[in-house]
Amino acid sequence: MKHVLLVEDEAALVTVLEDRLRAEGFEVTATGSGDEGEQLARGGVFDLVVLDWMLPGRSGLEICRNLRAAGANVPILMLTARGELADRVSGLRVGADDYLTKPFEMAELLARIEALLRRAPGAPPLAPLSFADVRIDPAAGEVQRGDARVDLSGRELELLVYMVRHAGEVLSREQLLSDVWDYARPPRTRTVDVHVALLRRKLEADPRRPRHFRTVHGIGYRFVP
Ligand code: CA
């Protein structure tokens, strides 16, 4: 039986998550305290940690950084609230393996948990991604094209990683806005177009005839490796 550590201070959410994870056959230990969560995670008995970003006392980000610094390689799935989307890249940089934005569907959480558990133990967090002559290191926040380093803003990097990880799927502007952008200050759908144009300019051989970042007319975009 896989043992999941749930570090979350929102009692109602903990109840729902615990019930569902147990129903799916997981053993679950929950704590609302960041300090206790870190202590428990350091113990090394857990197969996966679901870690809320906003915790009283110690933040999820700090816990994640401490655990990685201490050599813990347990998979960590961070939970972020909408207003914190801009910081997700920092979460990945300090060693989280994946993140999920609140509110989320339970099915999505289970799918992410299963994907993380399938990865070989000790696998590096967020393996590098690549297409054509472009190489992306999400954990380090670095993108190389050929031998040259490509400078991307945090949002551009987040959009790039999202599109590459959803290669082949049609991604509507609304989906990209909700999954990549901060809804606290609702951007216009044009924002997506502007950012895709920037990625094309930086990563396509001919930005006016994009091979990778394709337009799906009337809907949005599709990334083709
Ligand atoms: Ca919280």
Side-chain angles (χ1 to χ4, degrees):
M1 195 186 257
K2 299 287 186 186
H3 197 166
V4 173
L5 173 64
L6 185 55
V7 188
E8 166 64 77
D9 60 314
E10 214 176 298
L13 181 57
V14 170
T15 305
V16 173
L17 291 177
E18 267 187 321
D19 286 355
R20 184 59 193 272
L21 288 169
R22 289 201 173 114
E24 296 290 331
F26 293 102
E27 192 178 339
V28 183
T29 297
T31 175
S33 148
D35 290 343
E36 192 187 18
E38 187 176 327
Q39 289 306 316
L40 287 168
R42 277 174 189 263
V45 302
F46 297 96
D47 298 291
L48 182 123
V49 179
V50 176
L51 181 60
D52 187 31
W53 185 297
M54 294 294 284
L55 291 163
R58 202 168 296 188
S59 79
L61 193 70
E62 199 183 337
I63 293 170
C64 189
R65 189 188 293 119
N66 291 346
L67 288 174
R68 293 305 186 226
N73 60 12
V74 60
I76 296 175
L77 174 62
M78 295 270 300
L79 302 180
T80 68
R82 284 192 162 175
E84 298 150 17
L85 292 193
D87 296 331
R88 290 191 299 197
V89 169
S90 340
L92 298 176
R93 278 184 185 148
V94 298
D97 297 273
D98 203 356
Y99 54 76
L100 200 52
T101 307
K102 292 177 180 177
F104 49 81
E105 298 286 331
M106 197 58 72
E108 168 104 55
L109 176 74
L110 290 169
R112 303 283 185 100
I113 287 177
E114 272 153 26
L116 287 176
L117 289 174
R118 267 199 307 273
R119 273 188 214 163
L126 272 186
L129 304 163
S130 62
F131 66 93
D133 61 345
V134 176
R135 198 169 158 75
I136 306 156
D137 182 347
E142 287 175 4
V143 178
Q144 291 261 132
R145 183 176 172 194
D147 293 329
R149 167 105 182 250
V150 180
D151 282 322
L152 297 182
S153 70
R155 193 76 75 189
E156 286 164 16
L157 176 65
E158 210 178 325
L159 177 63
L160 174 65
V161 169
Y162 185 90
M163 291 185 79
V164 174
R165 290 175 82 193
H166 291 82
E169 296 173 30
V170 173
L171 304 169
S172 70
R173 290 182 177 82
E174 291 71 26
Q175 179 182 347
L176 290 169
L177 277 177
S178 109
D179 286 358
V180 181
W181 269 267
D182 184 351
Y183 256 29
R185 235 181 296 154
R188 295 164 304 140
T189 48
R190 178 92 184 106
T191 306
V192 175
D193 302 332
V194 169
H195 280 76
V196 170
L198 286 167
L199 289 181
R200 282 174 174 161
R201 196 185 306 158
K202 292 176 181 180
L203 300 171
E204 291 275 4
D206 181 355
R208 279 173 303 180
R209 287 163 205 239
R211 290 181 50 209
H212 305 292
F213 300 89
R214 307 252 185 105
T215 299
V216 180
H217 288 289
I219 301 175
Y221 297 94
R222 185 159 59 102
F223 174 78
V224 179

